[in-house]
Amino acid sequence: MKKVLVLEDEASIRSFIIINLRRAGYEIVEAETGEEALEKLQQHTDVRVALLDVMLPGIDGFEVCRRIRASNSRIGIIMLTARSQEMDKVTGLMTGADDYVTKPFSPAELTARVDALMRRSGGGEENGDQIQQPPFLLNTRNRTLEKNGERIKLTQVEYSIMRMFMENPGKALSREEILDLVWGRDYFGELKIVDVNIRRLRLKIEDNATNPTYITTVWGYGYKWGV
């Protein structure tokens, strides 16, 4: 069964989300507080996607995201926020989230986001081998990345971005192309999610993230894998 954690302190919104995800075939683990969500994740280790409300009493959604990412890079994380400020979106993504949804949202939009992350978090389903571009080695069977023999922890979105780049060396890819290839053509979100995820990925793989040599910017267009 495909299992989703729903962390939302407002009962009416939580109920709305749960009803619609159950209709889409998902099994739900629900939590009202950040502390409860972290406990539930320890009990339900097969949760593949987590929906985290940002504004919570006690531990907020950003902190829950950080704690999840400290021990689990494979679970898909979507931040739920009623605030539309740019910094909230960037903060969520930089703390390790894969996506964000701003309230109010439609059932179709939320389900599409969860579906997309569920597909990517299904690790081990690909029948590949390795893509080697020194100093990087991407294992497409177990969805891992090494640099100079050392493992780099990636989220599922970060893995998808790395695979896309390493399969298209030297090719300039527009932000729109990256969005389609990584998030899918039915993605409802904004282009800025590409920039923030690449910024986060550069922090992990570049020798100097402020002067990148692997993922280079094609100004006014997009990005290129420069190995």
Side-chain angles (χ1 to χ4, degrees):
M1 191 68 165
K2 299 177 292 185
K3 193 175 288 188
V4 177
L5 170 74
V6 176
L7 169 57
E8 168 60 63
D9 64 330
E10 293 188 36
S12 60
I13 298 176
R14 189 169 67 250
S15 177
F16 168 80
I17 293 171
I18 290 171
I19 288 171
N20 284 284
L21 289 181
R22 281 180 175 157
R23 285 176 179 168
Y26 291 109
E27 181 180 348
I28 305 300
V29 176
E30 60 179 297
E32 188 174 354
T33 67
E35 293 85 349
E36 183 184 7
L38 292 170
E39 290 177 6
K40 291 285 183 71
L41 283 173
Q42 290 182 337
Q43 298 166 9
H44 299 270
T45 56
D46 55 344
V47 167
R48 287 169 56 186
V49 172
L51 306 180
L52 309 179
D53 185 30
V54 170
M55 294 297 292
L56 297 167
I59 300 175
D60 67 14
F62 294 140
E63 181 59 25
V64 174
C65 181
R66 289 188 191 96
R67 295 190 188 188
I68 292 173
R69 278 289 176 250
S71 60
N72 189 333
S73 62
R74 300 189 72 84
I75 189 171
I77 298 178
I78 300 174
M79 306 303 295
L80 306 176
T81 176
R83 300 177 298 181
S84 59
Q85 286 93 334
E86 187 75 14
M87 186 52 64
D88 289 335
K89 299 174 182 178
V90 173
T91 299
L93 294 171
M94 292 303 290
T95 54
D98 298 292
D99 202 355
Y100 57 82
V101 180
T102 302
K103 302 173 188 175
F105 45 80
S106 70
E109 176 185 6
L110 184 65
T111 301
R113 301 286 185 95
V114 173
D115 288 346
L117 270 188
M118 191 66 69
R119 288 193 297 269
R120 284 196 296 272
S121 66
E125 297 175 358
E126 297 185 24
N127 296 316
D129 190 2
Q130 295 180 341
I131 303 174
Q132 188 164 6
Q133 293 174 11
F136 297 101
L137 176 65
L138 190 77
N139 187 310
T140 58
R141 186 175 297 277
N142 59 26
R143 301 169 70 89
T144 58
L145 177 71
E146 294 180 3
K147 179 182 180 182
N148 293 319
E150 294 188 5
R151 180 73 60 85
I152 297 175
K153 291 179 63 175
L154 300 179
T155 68
Q156 292 304 305
V157 166
E158 290 166 349
Y159 166 82
S160 297
I161 293 172
M162 280 298 300
R163 180 164 183 171
M164 173 201 66
F165 277 132
M166 293 180 72
E167 289 179 336
N168 294 278
K171 180 181 179 181
L173 296 164
S174 70
R175 288 172 174 82
E176 290 82 2
E177 286 179 283
I178 295 170
L179 197 68
D180 287 346
L181 290 168
V182 175
W183 281 267
R185 292 185 178 276
D186 57 350
Y187 180 71
F188 285 83
E190 305 168 28
L191 283 175
K192 69 172 68 67
I193 197 172
V194 173
D195 299 317
V196 177
N197 272 278
I198 287 178
R199 186 191 315 170
R200 193 175 70 193
L201 185 55
R202 280 171 167 168
L203 291 171
K204 295 184 177 184
I205 71 165
E206 296 283 355
D207 298 323
N208 179 359
T210 60
N211 186 26
T213 57
Y214 301 116
I215 302 176
T216 56
T217 300
V218 181
W219 295 107
Y221 186 73
Y223 299 93
K224 181 177 69 172
W225 181 243
V227 172

